Amino acid sequence: MTNSASTITQTEVDALLRQLQELRQQIALAREMIAPLETNLAEVYDEFQVVVGGLRRHSMRLQAEIATLRAQIDRFTHDQDDTLEQDESNEKLLYVKEEETADSASVDPEAVEKDMLLEHLFRVLDPMVNDEDGELLANLQGLCSDTTASLADVLEELPWGLVWTTRSLQENIADQHRRLAIWEQALKRQMENLNRATERLKKDQRYGLWQQREKGTDYWRTFLNQCIEQQQDQNYELQAELDSLREEWERITSTSNL
């Protein structure tokens, strides 16, 4: 049930504003942590690829050729071919999914909330008198029109100040509280997304490489040398498996030609 103007107090609005300010600070700190971590992971992976990348690419080529030969041998020995029926089934499924996608199109609630934010900005800012208001409004209008930008993305770019704390002439205290509550939920979702992003980066395979590099230059160099040796050993094994499959394929095809 929505609170009426008579049941909302200024104390509740002030508490919500404090929560919003705290959420913005938490989001800013989270971004400060994520940005260098993303940079470090990219850098350490580039270093790793320079040293081990060639061997890893050779490994992938060997694995691809092995998979191809295995498939050829399997098709030749089992003589199974029901791909046409499967393709027709996939085609029907594609049409169903396309129809479902078209029917599921609806109004984006984020777009509605961004429109409400812009409406509030027009009511409390004075771009005709204040150049800073005009510049801020222009920047946020462009961001609001970006379909990839969420309400929280826009709120992050909105400096803390009168736009946050001011109640427009068209609002009563319940309207203001309702608007701020929507903003709070958007920022909470943003904070959750950033927390998940941090956890995702820590689970990234590059994170382990970065931890190794953080142990020092000598340790990192030793680690890379070990990776080279391990990859070379794996490539030798893959090459032996590929040679064996080639011999098997040659034996199968030569026997069938007799």
Side-chain angles (χ1 to χ4, degrees):
M1 180 179 295
T2 303
N3 291 324
S4 63
S6 60
T7 60
I8 294 294
T9 66
Q10 186 61 46
T11 300
E12 290 175 294
V13 171
D14 291 341
L16 189 50
L17 285 168
R18 286 193 296 272
Q19 177 66 11
L20 286 167
Q21 193 169 20
E22 184 178 338
L23 277 169
R24 281 170 47 82
Q25 292 169 351
Q26 292 173 353
I27 288 171
L29 287 174
R31 290 205 180 278
E32 287 178 6
M33 292 178 60
I34 289 174
L37 181 55
E38 288 178 330
T39 300
N40 286 331
L41 295 190
E43 287 179 353
V44 75
Y45 186 68
D46 287 343
E47 289 182 25
F48 179 79
Q49 283 293 88
V50 167
V51 177
V52 191
L55 290 170
R56 285 164 60 88
R57 287 189 293 272
H58 183 56
S59 172
M60 287 186 285
R61 287 193 295 269
L62 290 172
Q63 292 178 57
E65 191 169 351
I66 287 171
T68 300
L69 268 176
R70 280 179 175 166
Q72 288 176 349
I73 293 170
D74 184 66
R75 282 197 301 270
F76 193 90
T77 55
H78 294 90
D79 193 26
Q80 295 177 343
D81 186 16
D82 52 3
T83 57
L84 179 59
E85 181 179 347
Q86 183 64 42
D87 287 344
E88 290 175 351
S89 176
N90 290 340
E91 190 175 6
K92 290 178 182 177
L93 181 60
L94 177 61
Y95 289 143
V96 171
K97 288 186 177 296
E98 287 176 347
E99 290 174 1
E100 290 175 352
T101 303
D103 293 339
S104 62
S106 60
V107 177
D108 181 8
E110 286 270 309
V112 175
E113 292 169 355
K114 286 191 289 185
D115 286 342
M116 292 173 62
L117 169 60
L118 279 178
E119 188 174 321
H120 176 69
L121 292 175
F122 279 113
R123 288 173 175 174
V124 299
L125 296 179
D126 193 353
M128 300 300 294
V129 175
N130 190 323
D131 290 340
E132 290 184 0
D133 284 359
E135 184 176 350
L136 175 62
L137 191 57
N139 290 338
L140 293 182
Q141 274 186 292
L143 193 56
C144 283
S145 63
D146 184 354
T147 56
T148 64
S150 67
L151 173 64
D153 292 334
V154 184
L155 291 173
E156 281 192 65
E157 297 300 318
L158 181 59
W160 186 262
L162 291 178
V163 174
W164 291 86
T165 59
T166 301
R167 184 188 315 147
S168 71
L169 296 176
Q170 290 78 11
E171 288 181 317
N172 58 37
I173 194 169
D175 294 330
Q176 181 188 20
H177 189 275
R178 192 179 305 112
R179 170 174 53 79
L180 294 176
I182 291 173
W183 293 4
E184 180 191 28
Q185 291 305 311
L187 291 177
K188 282 183 176 179
R189 290 194 298 270
Q190 191 84 323
M191 190 68 232
E192 291 170 0
N193 290 337
L194 290 171
N195 286 336
R196 283 196 293 269
T198 301
E199 291 302 314
R200 187 172 62 251
L201 287 174
K202 289 182 178 180
K203 293 176 182 177
D204 192 302
Q205 63 175 353
R206 299 172 300 172
Y207 189 78
L209 294 175
W210 176 68
Q211 287 181 310
Q212 297 296 331
R213 193 181 68 171
E214 286 296 286
K215 294 178 181 179
T217 303
D218 290 341
Y219 192 97
W220 177 236
R221 187 181 299 110
T222 300
F223 172 78
L224 290 177
N225 289 334
Q226 290 174 345
C227 289
I228 291 173
E229 292 176 5
Q230 291 173 359
Q231 191 63 64
Q232 287 174 335
D233 289 342
Q234 183 187 32
N235 288 0
Y236 292 146
E237 293 176 3
L238 289 171
Q239 185 65 57
E241 183 180 359
L242 178 59
D243 292 341
S244 176
L245 287 170
R246 284 172 174 168
E247 290 175 4
E248 183 179 356
W249 176 246
E250 184 177 353
R251 185 170 58 255
I252 291 171
T253 53
S254 61
T255 301
S256 66
N257 292 329
L258 293 178

